[in-house]
Amino acid sequence: MKKLFSTIFIALALMILFVGCGSKEVDKEEVKVEPVNIHVIAPNGTPTLSMVKLFEENPSMGDGVTVTYESIAATDVLASKLTQQEADIAIVPTNLAANMYNKEVPYKLAGSSVWGILYLVSTEEVNGWEDLKGKEISMIGRGLTPDATFRYLLTKNNVEPDKDVSLKYFSGGSELAASFISGKGEYALIPEPLLTKVLMKRKDAKVVLDMQREWSTATGLESYPQASIIVSDDLINNHPEVVDKFLNAYEEGIKWANDNPLEAGKYYENLGIGLKAPLINKAMAGCNIRYVGATDAKESLEAYLNVLFEFNPKLLGGKLPDEGLYLER
């Protein structure tokens, strides 16, 4: 009888053991994490610089989340990738965010991060906008946002574009820089960080007008949101916690870059897309990188988009975007 009880006891113990193991397996199945693959893109230059800490360190965005980063050389390639929805998150010219939204490409603007990078440089003394009358000014972006911004500020300061000043357009920043450095022209509207490179080469030139300060004077707003971060509707709807984590990491990365410009420059140089760490170190302050969420940036965003719309509605896809453009957090 004792032997029988002993056998029954052992059998029961084994059953309990196997049942326990089985429930552990079920628990493992219950906590299995669904993989989330996120592709992030940003144009070369200041937009990539704003995200350089994430590019280099690729911090964790949660269990099962894989993030890949890509820096894009040309804006047309960027627009194509967005149209094809090949990116989940992107840093884009703010007008492109509005343009994509108006074309019903499913992205929302989560915040703005590049607050103007245009500076007028000259070898001559300039005490105000009146001194520009009769001058030829070299610049880039015919019909695009730099053109719209500069023409708006000329007009606000009683200087009539194409009548009081002559605007000479170059196809790109490299061509503009080479021309100005060689001594052709005494006035040029140049973006950072290219500006720092130009001033290092042409020692007799200096910044005579800061477009960001001039915008503030003209509008009463701090500056204009030249570039913004957009997030796909799919990622927002299905993984809101990942979106929050990413945007927080992005904001922290911008603060780090501003506090550590040389290290940010080294990270940028590691990407192999053209700019060296010492130059980034000098240029960082003029790049005006700071993160402002869409809700807080809304007044500035709407003012900027209105100026662009008045200049050329096509820059925004033919109309001003409605409230659905913005991601509420």
Side-chain angles (χ1 to χ4, degrees):
M1 182 66 89
K2 287 183 180 179
K3 187 174 180 181
L4 178 60
F5 281 132
S6 178
T7 302
I8 293 171
F9 179 78
I10 291 170
L12 286 170
L14 287 172
M15 286 176 64
I16 291 168
L17 178 62
F18 286 131
V19 169
C21 289
S23 38
K24 284 182 182 176
E25 291 299 321
V26 171
D27 288 345
K28 286 181 181 177
E29 288 297 321
E30 287 176 352
V31 297
K32 186 176 179 181
V33 177
E34 179 188 351
V36 180
N37 297 307
I38 298 172
H39 187 50
V40 180
I41 60 177
N44 292 0
T46 312
T48 290
L49 180 58
S50 76
M51 196 172 272
V52 73
K53 193 174 194 288
L54 301 184
F55 268 73
E56 178 73 13
E57 298 180 4
N58 200 350
S60 172
M61 296 298 161
D63 292 341
V65 181
T66 301
V67 185
T68 57
Y69 296 89
E70 181 183 6
S71 192
I72 305 293
T75 304
D76 58 343
V77 175
L78 178 69
S80 175
K81 283 182 174 288
L82 294 175
T83 301
Q84 299 300 319
Q85 298 176 52
E86 294 178 11
D88 302 286
I89 298 173
I91 310 298
V92 300
T94 298
N95 71 292
L96 183 57
N99 195 302
M100 291 291 105
Y101 176 77
N102 281 332
K103 291 179 179 178
E104 299 185 354
V105 183
Y107 291 93
K108 283 188 169 45
L109 192 154
S112 297
S113 52
V114 180
W115 291 82
I117 53 173
L118 294 173
Y119 299 85
L120 185 69
V121 298
S122 180
T123 57
E124 299 180 355
E125 203 64 39
V126 174
N127 296 311
W129 290 88
E130 282 288 319
D131 292 346
L132 301 183
K133 289 184 176 180
K135 308 298 184 182
E136 180 182 80
I137 300 169
S138 300
M139 58 187 294
I140 58 174
R142 181 196 293 269
L144 302 177
T145 55
D147 200 10
T149 303
F150 191 54
R151 285 173 177 269
Y152 169 75
L153 291 174
L154 284 168
T155 303
K156 292 291 283 187
N157 288 278
N158 302 311
V159 180
E160 190 173 333
D162 302 318
K163 180 181 178 183
D164 294 333
V165 295
S166 173
L167 302 178
K168 181 180 180 181
Y169 296 94
F170 288 81
S171 61
S174 297
E175 184 186 1
L176 169 62
S179 175
F180 189 74
I181 290 168
S182 71
K184 297 175 183 176
E186 305 304 322
Y187 293 83
L189 187 71
I190 305 177
E192 280 285 21
L194 182 62
L195 169 67
T196 295
K197 184 177 181 180
V198 168
L199 294 180
M200 289 169 68
K201 299 280 188 179
R202 189 165 179 180
K203 302 293 186 181
D204 60 338
K206 64 180 180 179
V207 173
V208 293
L209 286 173
D210 177 334
M211 295 304 109
Q212 294 61 240
R213 290 180 183 173
E214 298 301 322
W215 181 277
S216 179
T217 299
T219 65
L221 300 169
E222 189 171 352
S223 191
Y224 54 98
Q226 192 168 338
S228 298
I229 183 167
I230 60 174
V231 183
S232 71
D233 287 1
D234 181 69
L235 191 62
I236 292 167
N237 294 332
N238 295 314
H239 303 285
E241 73 290 345
V242 176
V243 173
D244 280 339
K245 193 161 189 174
F246 187 92
L247 293 176
N248 289 337
Y250 180 47
E251 182 174 8
E252 290 168 9
I254 287 175
K255 290 176 181 175
W256 173 86
N258 283 317
D259 291 339
N260 302 276
L262 183 58
E263 287 78 4
K266 290 176 182 176
Y267 279 5
Y268 192 96
E269 185 175 337
N270 289 345
L271 297 175
I273 53 177
L275 298 176
K276 302 296 184 182
L279 188 145
I280 293 291
N281 184 37
K282 289 184 178 181
M284 180 63 79
C287 289
N288 299 313
I289 301 171
R290 59 188 174 88
Y291 180 82
V292 183
T295 301
D296 292 332
K298 194 173 179 183
E299 184 180 7
S300 295
L301 283 160
E302 290 179 343
Y304 181 55
L305 293 175
N306 269 291
V307 168
L308 299 184
F309 182 78
E310 289 296 322
F311 174 73
N312 182 2
K314 290 182 180 179
L315 288 174
L316 307 185
K319 62 181 179 179
L320 287 166
D322 59 31
E323 298 286 320
L325 170 65
Y326 306 107
L327 173 63
E328 301 289 340
R329 289 180 72 206

